[in-house]
Amino acid sequence: MTWNQAIPQPPVPQGIREALKDYPELIQIVQDDLNWRVDSMLRGAHFPPFEEVVWALEATFSKFYSDAKKEVEAAELGGNQQAIERAKAKRYLIGSTRMDAPWNDDGEGNLWDYFHAYKGEFE
């Protein structure tokens, strides 16, 4: 998605970027999801913006976790111990990130600050 709104793209929270630093493709999916949600809200969504984005992030991480579980199953079927350990490590990382819910960590990428700064755009 090309971002061409009057406000900046919503930031991927720092905690998510740090957790997924070895998986840039997942960070990009999170960014694309945030962009899509914010774009929808700017066009007239009816939910509070911050809560809408949190729900979207929870759904995204649930999908990541489901995919990671499938990767573990596939690796186990393949029998390669290194592939199994990598897949299990990824599943653990996704699961713990999902449980920690770093959607609004302090610092760069704070979504609450983003929505507060541009709240007039969402009204």
Side-chain angles (χ1 to χ4, degrees):
M1 170 180 182
T2 302
W3 188 259
N4 49 8
Q5 296 291 339
I7 63 174
Q9 292 183 70
V12 173
Q14 183 176 348
I16 293 174
R17 284 184 279 123
E18 288 173 6
L20 300 180
K21 67 182 178 286
D22 294 332
Y23 303 98
E25 69 282 4
L26 297 182
I27 294 171
Q28 187 59 54
I29 290 169
V30 171
Q31 182 67 69
D32 291 345
D33 285 352
L34 288 170
N35 289 354
W36 183 83
R37 294 288 175 171
V38 168
D39 184 60
S40 295
M41 286 184 277
L42 290 170
R43 296 176 192 278
H46 303 302
F47 297 107
F50 180 74
E51 287 81 355
E52 172 80 12
V53 167
V54 168
W55 297 331
L57 289 170
E58 289 171 348
T60 297
F61 271 81
S62 288
K63 171 91 170 76
F64 287 169
Y65 189 76
S66 177
D67 291 347
K69 282 175 50 178
K70 290 175 187 172
E71 288 178 30
V72 170
E73 292 167 4
E76 288 174 341
L77 286 173
N80 179 319
Q81 194 58 36
Q82 286 181 319
I84 293 168
E85 293 306 315
R86 276 193 311 273
K88 285 182 176 182
K90 182 178 179 181
R91 180 186 63 189
Y92 176 80
L93 173 70
I94 298 294
S96 63
T97 303
R98 179 177 70 166
M99 294 304 291
D100 290 344
W103 322 138
N104 199 41
D105 290 344
D106 289 334
E108 186 179 337
N110 181 306
L111 287 171
W112 181 258
D113 289 348
Y114 173 83
F115 285 108
H116 182 72
Y118 298 105
K119 71 179 181 178
E121 300 293 327
F122 298 97
E123 295 174 348

